[in-house]
Amino acid sequence: MKKRVLAVSALVTDATDRVLLIQRGHEPAKGLWSVPGGSVEEGESLEQALVREMWEETKLRVVVGTEVWVATVALSQDADYEIHCFDATVTGGILQAGDDAADACFVTASDYLALDTTPQLTSLLAQAGWPKRPQLHPTDGEPP
């Protein structure tokens, strides 16, 4: 029977609607791109784990917002990861790949399409509203 691992991740976007991704530096899913996050350690709240994981993987300090999804993802043959993803706002630090990440960067929706990503990530991001769709103004689409 597969073990179940409690994990967290962060959905961070910038003013131009780029999303923060990391390239996983270790198993599970080594080499694949995903939102930053990781396993919750014993005694940690989900929020504490997310703040720690963000620092470890991206060297960014964050404030944790609302939960945007909960999903069970099979990242390895022996474990299913119950991932709680939260909106997060960057409050400090300088973006760089940390100890668990091979790379870390903000990507546009078009750049995202060329990346090898972790299972279910594309649908989970869409469920959370990324990428944002352009807002129509009341006069858009009406003849002049």
Side-chain angles (χ1 to χ4, degrees):
M1 181 169 169
K2 285 179 141 183
K3 72 176 180 175
R4 188 173 209 70
V5 178
L6 183 60
V8 291
S9 63
L11 177 59
V12 178
T13 56
D14 67 8
T16 61
D17 199 36
R18 296 179 306 164
V19 67
L20 176 60
L21 297 179
I22 58 104
Q23 185 177 37
R24 297 187 55 83
H26 302 287
E27 294 299 344
K30 181 179 179 180
L32 298 181
W33 289 86
S34 191
V35 288
S39 300
V40 177
E41 294 179 356
E42 190 172 333
E44 279 185 318
S45 70
L46 297 177
E47 293 81 3
Q48 289 168 330
L50 186 56
V51 167
R52 177 184 50 76
E53 285 288 345
M54 283 294 297
W55 178 255
E56 288 175 1
E57 292 190 351
T58 68
K59 299 304 180 201
L60 295 175
R61 290 181 190 84
V62 296
V63 171
V64 179
T66 59
E67 190 171 73
V68 293
W69 75 66
V70 177
T72 300
V73 181
L75 291 177
S76 69
Q77 290 186 337
D78 62 339
D80 287 330
Y81 289 74
E82 179 185 314
I83 302 171
H84 294 256
C85 185
F86 294 85
D87 277 323
T89 303
V90 175
T91 60
I94 297 173
L95 179 61
Q96 58 185 302
D99 61 353
D100 290 346
D103 198 0
C105 59
F106 282 91
V107 299
T108 65
S110 59
D111 290 340
Y112 175 88
L113 297 175
L115 300 176
D116 289 328
T117 59
T118 53
Q120 299 175 248
L121 183 61
T122 302
S123 62
L124 291 168
L125 287 170
Q127 172 186 319
W130 187 85
K132 289 188 174 107
R133 303 293 182 241
Q135 297 292 322
L136 292 178
H137 297 286
T139 57
D140 285 353
E142 296 178 6

